[in-house]
Amino acid sequence: VGLTAHAPALARAGVTTAVARAATASNFVSLGLRPRDAQALVKAVARENRETGELLFFHDQKSIGFVKPDGETRRERNLLCHVSAFEGGVPLPPGTKVSYLRGVFNHQPVARAVRVVPAPAKSPTQPPPGPAWGLAAAAAPPGVGR
């Protein structure tokens, strides 16, 4: 089940893409979808619309933090995230790369289902090309190696 299979019914109900991203299964059931289809639709939308960003900070006492979306420079575009939004638990250090689903709470954008993005695996260090780690052949004593 994908968003395109239910797009006509959702469009008639006035559901935009942004609303579909923030909707829960019960929201879709209230529009007339079967519960099983609603759950599948929520998973399909979530799978297709994960965004990435950087955790700016997390305030332990207030249980909230902010995520800066990748490529965003304006502070007002940062997303609030509650402690309950973190799937792997907190605290995370500032600057941690995360992926999240964009949602809405009290008419404000929020980050939901926040996950840490695993760091790419480092390739093994290769020695530079050339003789003996970059030692020039001219550095050898006369008569050695030639």
Side-chain angles (χ1 to χ4, degrees), residues 48 88 111 116 133:
E48 296 168 4
V116 175
W133 290 85

Side-chain angles (χ1 to χ4, degrees), residues 85-92 113-116:
F86 289 90
E87 294 183 349
V90 287
L92 298 173
V114 179
R115 298 178 189 156
V116 175

Side-chain angles (χ1 to χ4, degrees), residues 29-123:
V29 169
S30 68
L31 294 173
L33 270 66
R34 294 183 313 196
R36 186 177 65 196
D37 288 344
Q39 286 288 351
L41 186 58
V42 168
K43 288 181 181 178
V45 169
R47 196 172 40 246
E48 296 168 4
N49 296 309
R50 287 197 80 80
E51 299 178 40
T52 58
E54 174 185 334
L55 182 67
L56 292 176
F57 70 89
F58 186 82
H59 196 281
D60 288 327
Q61 292 174 339
K62 294 183 180 180
S63 299
I64 61 168
F66 283 90
V67 172
K68 182 183 121 205
D70 284 343
E72 193 56 62
T73 57
R74 298 183 348 201
R75 279 185 64 194
E76 62 267 13
R77 298 284 175 96
N78 293 342
L79 303 171
L80 178 74
C81 56
H82 186 261
V83 67
S84 62
F86 289 90
E87 294 183 349
V90 287
L92 298 173
T96 302
K97 186 80 168 168
V98 295
S99 69
Y100 57 91
L101 300 176
R102 187 178 290 262
V104 177
F105 179 76
N106 285 344
H107 305 287
Q108 297 296 318
V110 295
R112 296 186 178 187
V114 179
R115 298 178 189 156
V116 175
V117 175
K122 292 185 178 183
S123 61

